[in-house]
Amino acid sequence: KREFFLESRGLFEFGRGGFGGGFGGGGAPTLFHSRRIGLQSGRPIPILAGARVTGKVGPFDVGLVTVQTDDEPNVGAEATNFSVVRLRRDVFARSSIGVLFGNRSASLVSSGANQTYGADASFSFLQDAGVSGYYARTATEGLTGNDRSYRARLSYSDDLWGGHLDHLVVGDDFNPEIGFVRRRGFRQSAASSYWSPRPRFIGWIRQLTLLGSIDYFENDLAGFVESRTRFGSLSIDLESSDRFSASVTDRYENFPEVTGISGATISPGRYSFRDVQVGYTFGSQRRISARLSVRRGTFYTGELTSVSLGRGRIEVLQQLSVEPSVQLNWLDLPEQAYAGEFNQHVARTRITYSVTPRTFLSALVQYNSRSDALSGNFRLRWEWAPGSELFIVYTEERFAEALDRWGHLQNRGLVIKVNRLLRF
């Protein structure tokens, strides 16, 4: 099932790294994702206790996490221990190698435990060239197929030109239950290149960028192409720090069975469709900045129109900022029972107030028309000593109802988190 989705950070993170979110998007799995702890089937699971240790031991960066959750009969969740160990070491001038081990004591798909093993490396050559990759396996009782995933990436990034080559494999039984996998049983190959000159004869243009890429997925078992994306764009960076961009995307999808797309049912078959997007970004140095974009094109058997305002920021005061964003998606599909059935709109606003350089309050409110859900996240952060912090976080989600002013409460939570930095 392919759906629109949002991701949010959880309580425990190791920070940026090879296992924190793959090596750069695409279909790469994540071997550890803290939001898998304390949630099952979208429902909260009680957390009894947990601890995180991060730091440096000799030449090694070390990350340790262990969390114990309680059982929750309403969703069939068993009492489970989540434990992760991450070691990483810098080598040469700008390179690194690392390993990760994760254990979930009660698997979601079998009666035993689930383990994840992985190793990654990143090597930088000269100033602009790099090679990176990883190899990972999982162990789950009852899954005896291809339980491996690996990736290799070669990149070159210069101011004038650059590009990358990428190859990724995810087995059909690769199952990191302390992370997540968007799709299994595929081979992904991708390539891109760009040319980015700085025309001196046009005073109001800082830089032009022409970019082209191709990305396709093959079924790892049957060998046929599941999907392919060809992309081309032109962006113009202005001396005012504003940016204009235009892009064309051509997609191909091969569905061997009925597939759900944003609530619609797409019949088996091969589909080719394309769209055009135009956007303008106002520079971040402005008191009011944002990116406006319009997208129009075909979408499987129908048409898609999208209008969005993103990266919005309004500096009300030096200490107070408002960051609004809106995305409106109109899907016109022949399968729909009535007009607007598959439309999806998301509105979000973040408000941040800095009380002092070490203390701030923030609020995030979001409405999703597809689920008719209104959610809020309110956070206080206080750095009471250098490297030591107090967080107070309150979250609440409600389903909007026309006859109910405040809607129906779905869930709420209050979390208090304290970090204490100890130096030896």
Side-chain angles (χ1 to χ4, degrees), residues 34-40 42-47 67 69 82:
S34 62
R35 292 287 289 179
R36 296 302 300 267
I37 303 175
L39 284 176
Q40 186 165 317
R43 299 286 298 276
I45 306 299
I47 295 178
V67 180
T69 62
F82 299 81

Side-chain angles (χ1 to χ4, degrees), residues 44-324:
I45 306 299
I47 295 178
L48 299 179
R52 180 188 69 171
V53 177
T54 59
K56 198 171 183 68
V57 179
F60 292 95
D61 294 315
V62 179
L64 305 172
V65 167
T66 182
V67 180
Q68 180 67 43
T69 62
D70 202 357
D71 60 343
E72 182 55 69
N74 293 332
V75 294
E78 303 177 21
T80 306
N81 177 264
F82 299 81
S83 296
V84 183
V85 180
R86 167 69 162 153
L87 298 177
R88 178 181 174 276
R89 175 173 180 168
D90 293 330
V91 295
F92 307 123
R94 295 181 297 115
S95 304
S96 67
I97 56 176
V99 294
L100 178 143
F101 170 75
N103 180 78
R104 177 175 179 145
S105 64
S107 172
L108 292 171
V109 298
S110 72
S111 58
N114 170 263
Q115 287 92 30
T116 301
Y117 312 84
D120 67 320
S122 177
F123 299 97
S124 297
F125 303 100
L126 303 177
Q127 185 66 28
D128 305 307
V131 176
S132 61
Y134 76 86
Y135 179 87
R137 298 192 70 168
T138 60
T140 309
E141 184 178 339
L143 299 182
T144 58
N146 184 355
D147 58 3
R148 299 171 299 161
S149 176
Y150 53 89
R151 187 176 196 176
R153 180 183 176 95
L154 172 65
S155 62
Y156 180 82
S157 179
D158 183 61
D159 183 65
L160 179 61
W161 67 277
H164 84 274
L165 296 173
D166 196 350
H167 186 66
L168 167 69
V169 175
V170 178
D172 58 315
D173 277 345
F174 184 70
N175 182 41
E177 295 187 18
I178 56 171
F180 66 87
V181 181
R182 294 174 184 168
R183 60 198 292 181
R184 293 181 173 86
F186 71 88
R187 296 175 179 268
Q188 179 189 13
S189 299
S192 72
S193 63
Y194 68 85
W195 180 56
S196 193
R198 298 178 180 269
R200 299 180 180 178
F201 55 90
I202 306 179
W204 52 276
I205 294 181
R206 179 179 301 170
Q207 192 169 26
L208 297 171
T209 301
L210 288 169
L211 182 145
S213 67
I214 183 169
D215 185 358
Y216 70 93
F217 291 81
E218 294 179 286
N219 185 282
D220 191 35
L221 298 177
F224 65 88
V225 176
E226 290 186 342
S227 62
R228 182 192 64 235
T229 302
R230 294 182 291 194
F231 176 82
S233 69
L234 165 67
S235 61
I236 304 174
D237 292 312
L238 308 180
E239 287 294 343
S240 63
S241 294
D242 292 357
R243 168 180 281 196
F244 169 81
S245 62
S247 64
V248 177
T249 305
D250 179 79
R251 295 182 175 88
Y252 165 83
E253 296 280 358
N254 184 353
F255 292 153
E257 57 187 25
V258 175
T259 304
I261 304 291
S262 191
T265 300
I266 306 297
S267 301
R270 300 178 181 180
Y271 300 90
S272 295
F273 50 99
R274 60 188 57 84
D275 62 69
V276 176
Q277 183 169 344
V278 178
Y280 192 88
T281 303
F282 296 89
S284 59
Q285 84 284 358
R286 301 178 185 271
R287 187 168 183 176
I288 299 177
S289 61
R291 170 177 167 78
L292 302 174
S293 66
V294 178
R295 178 183 170 195
R296 174 69 176 172
T298 53
F299 188 77
Y300 294 96
T301 59
E303 295 181 341
L304 167 67
T305 302
S306 178
V307 178
S308 67
L309 182 151
R311 307 178 193 171
R313 189 176 188 278
I314 303 172
E315 187 177 337
V316 182
L317 301 171
Q318 188 175 6
Q319 296 171 284
L320 177 64
S321 65
V322 180
E323 302 174 31

Side-chain angles (χ1 to χ4, degrees), residues 318-344:
Q318 188 175 6
Q319 296 171 284
L320 177 64
S321 65
V322 180
E323 302 174 31
S325 66
V326 178
Q327 184 168 2
L328 308 176
N329 300 284
W330 292 275
L331 297 180
D332 182 13
L333 299 174
E335 293 87 351
Q336 66 187 61
Y338 58 90
E341 180 182 3
F342 304 120
N343 295 343
Q344 180 161 311

